Amino acid sequence: MRFATYEYRNRRQVAVVAGDGTLFPLPGVTSLTGLLAEGGALPELLDAGSAMLEVAAGPHVSQVRLLPPLQPPTVRDFVTFEEHVEGVRRSVDGAAGVPEQWYAAPTFYFTNPYAVYGPYDEIPVPPGSRVLDFELEVAAVIGKEGRDLTREQAREHIAGYTVFNDWSARDLQSAEMKVGLGPCKGKDTATTLGPYLVTADELEKYRDEDGFLRLALTAEINGAVVGRDLLSNMSWTFEEMVAYASRGTWVRPGDVLGSGTCGNGGCLAELWGVRGKQDPPPLKPGDTVSLSVEGIGSVSNTVVAGSAPLPIPSGRRRSRERP
C-alpha cells in the first residue's frame, strides 16, 4: 500500500494511492507522522488504508502538489555501501579503500528534519556553495517505538520505505569535516523524500535469501543516466540499521533512517574519485536530478539559485585568561 501527503485547494491531506494514481483521503488526517504516532505499526496502517479504499475517491495524483510523505522528527543517515565509501574517500583526500573501522558497525549521522523537500520541489543551492551534489538512497520509516531491539525484532518496527536524496554541498562539507564533527552545514539545507511511503509488506517480494531488498536504483541528471546500482549491495540490512540505532535509546514513529548513498554513480563525488576529475560537473541552477527506486517510485527535483550567505566573523584567538 502507498501513502501520500499532498496539497490540494490549499488543504493538506494524507491519502492512500490507488494503482491508477487516484487518491483516497483519510478523513481528518493531515500528518502521516501523526497517524503513525497514534498507533501506526504496519498492521494498523494497513487497516486504516484498506478502510479508505471503500469510500469516495479524491483527486488524481496528477492534480495535486505532492509533499514529503511525512515530516520526520529525526533523520539518521547511514553509510552502508562500500563502493560509495571508496569513491568518495578517493575524491576527498586521495585515500584508497575502506577504513577497517567502517566494517565494525553501520555508522550514521543526524541530519536536519526541518529541511525536508517534496518529490518535485525546487532545491535551492546552499548559501556559499559552488559544489552541489545529489545522493541516491532509500529510507526506512519507523512505525512503532522501541529501544535495544534485536535485528529480528526490528523488522516489525519498520512501517515502510521511501526514496531519499541527501543533497550535499561538497565544498562546505569538506571544509567543516576538518574540525572533526562530521557533516553539518554541508548537509543542512535539503533532503528530498518521496514520492510516497510504500508499506513494508509491498517490498517483501524483493527480499533475497540474506534479508536484503534487491531493488534497482537509477540516477539521472537532465535525462542522462549517471548511476545504477542495487539496494542489496548494502553491507547491513535495514533491520540491522534499526537495531543499531536503537541501542541505548529510542526509535519512534516517523523516524527516518537513510541507507546511505549507493555505489556506481549514486552521487557525483564518487564519480569524481573514480575518474580523477569533476565529471560530470557539480550541479548548478537549472539542472534536474531524477532518482528512481524499483518498487517505490521516482523523485525529480530541479536546482535553483539560493540565497547569498550572511557574513559571520572568523573565530577570535583568545588570551585564555582564567578567573
Side-chain angles (χ1 to χ4, degrees):
M1 192 170 290
R2 299 176 177 222
F3 288 83
T5 301
Y6 64 95
E7 190 176 81
Y8 181 65
R9 294 178 178 173
N10 297 318
R11 294 181 59 193
R12 178 187 294 260
Q13 293 182 272
V14 175
V16 179
V17 186
D20 64 356
T22 301
L23 295 165
F24 289 81
L26 282 68
V29 178
T30 59
S31 167
L32 186 53
T33 308
L35 180 63
L36 291 169
E38 290 173 5
L42 183 57
E44 290 80 6
L45 194 60
L46 292 174
D47 286 346
S50 297
M52 290 307 99
L53 293 175
E54 304 299 324
V55 302
H60 189 270
V61 70
S62 62
Q63 299 173 294
V64 306
R65 178 194 170 203
L66 283 177
L67 303 173
L70 75 162
Q71 290 294 330
T74 67
V75 182
R76 295 171 176 87
D77 198 9
F78 288 73
V79 54
T80 69
F81 289 83
E82 286 177 296
E83 192 172 9
H84 170 73
V85 176
E86 289 174 347
V88 171
R89 283 191 85 210
R90 193 178 299 119
S91 173
V92 171
D93 57 21
V98 176
E100 193 60 33
Q101 185 60 34
W102 180 82
Y103 297 96
T107 308
F108 67 89
Y109 70 93
F110 282 96
T111 191
N112 190 354
Y114 304 120
V116 176
Y117 284 77
Y120 307 111
D121 289 345
E122 294 179 334
I123 304 297
V125 176
S129 177
R130 296 180 181 274
V131 189
L132 182 61
D133 197 357
F134 73 91
E135 299 198 54
L136 169 52
E137 309 187 24
V138 173
V141 178
I142 299 298
K144 182 172 71 171
E145 73 174 20
R147 65 176 294 153
D148 293 313
L149 302 170
T150 66
R151 61 181 182 179
E152 291 77 20
Q153 292 169 331
R155 183 170 297 184
E156 67 184 47
H157 290 259
I158 298 174
Y161 299 88
T162 191
V163 182
F164 184 116
N165 187 345
D166 173 34
W167 299 89
S168 300
R170 296 299 188 189
D171 45 354
L172 305 184
Q173 178 189 2
S174 178
E176 67 196 0
M177 287 187 71
K178 290 180 173 63
V179 181
L181 287 180
C184 302
K185 293 307 290 184
K187 303 277 193 171
D188 201 35
T189 55
T191 298
T192 297
L193 296 179
Y196 313 120
L197 173 73
V198 178
T199 54
D201 60 302
E202 288 278 324
L203 301 183
E204 280 302 307
K205 62 186 177 184
Y206 297 100
R207 195 176 295 277
D208 67 19
E209 60 184 14
D210 295 319
F212 293 89
L213 297 174
R214 196 176 191 277
L215 307 178
L217 313 173
T218 306
E220 300 179 11
I221 299 177
N222 300 328
V225 174
V226 296
R228 294 187 189 276
D229 201 6
L230 288 171
L231 188 62
S232 51
N233 285 330
M234 296 165 64
S235 289
W236 290 271
T237 66
F238 280 104
E239 289 79 8
E240 290 162 344
M241 291 158 55
V242 171
Y244 184 67
S246 74
R247 281 187 185 179
T249 189
W250 292 92
V251 291
R252 289 204 159 100
D255 285 352
V256 163
L257 286 74
S259 64
T261 307
C262 67
N264 195 37
C267 71
L268 293 176
E270 179 211 324
L271 295 176
W272 299 339
V274 171
R275 298 172 181 175
K277 58 182 179 179
Q278 288 191 343
D279 175 30
L283 299 170
K284 63 184 184 304
D287 287 338
T288 297
V289 177
S290 301
L291 308 180
S292 299
V293 179
E294 183 180 8
I296 298 179
S298 301
V299 300
S300 186
N301 302 98
T302 298
V303 177
V304 297
S307 57
L310 298 175
I312 300 292
S314 299
R316 284 79 163 173
R317 297 184 184 274
R318 308 303 291 168
S319 66
R320 306 190 187 183
E321 292 184 80
R322 302 288 184 260

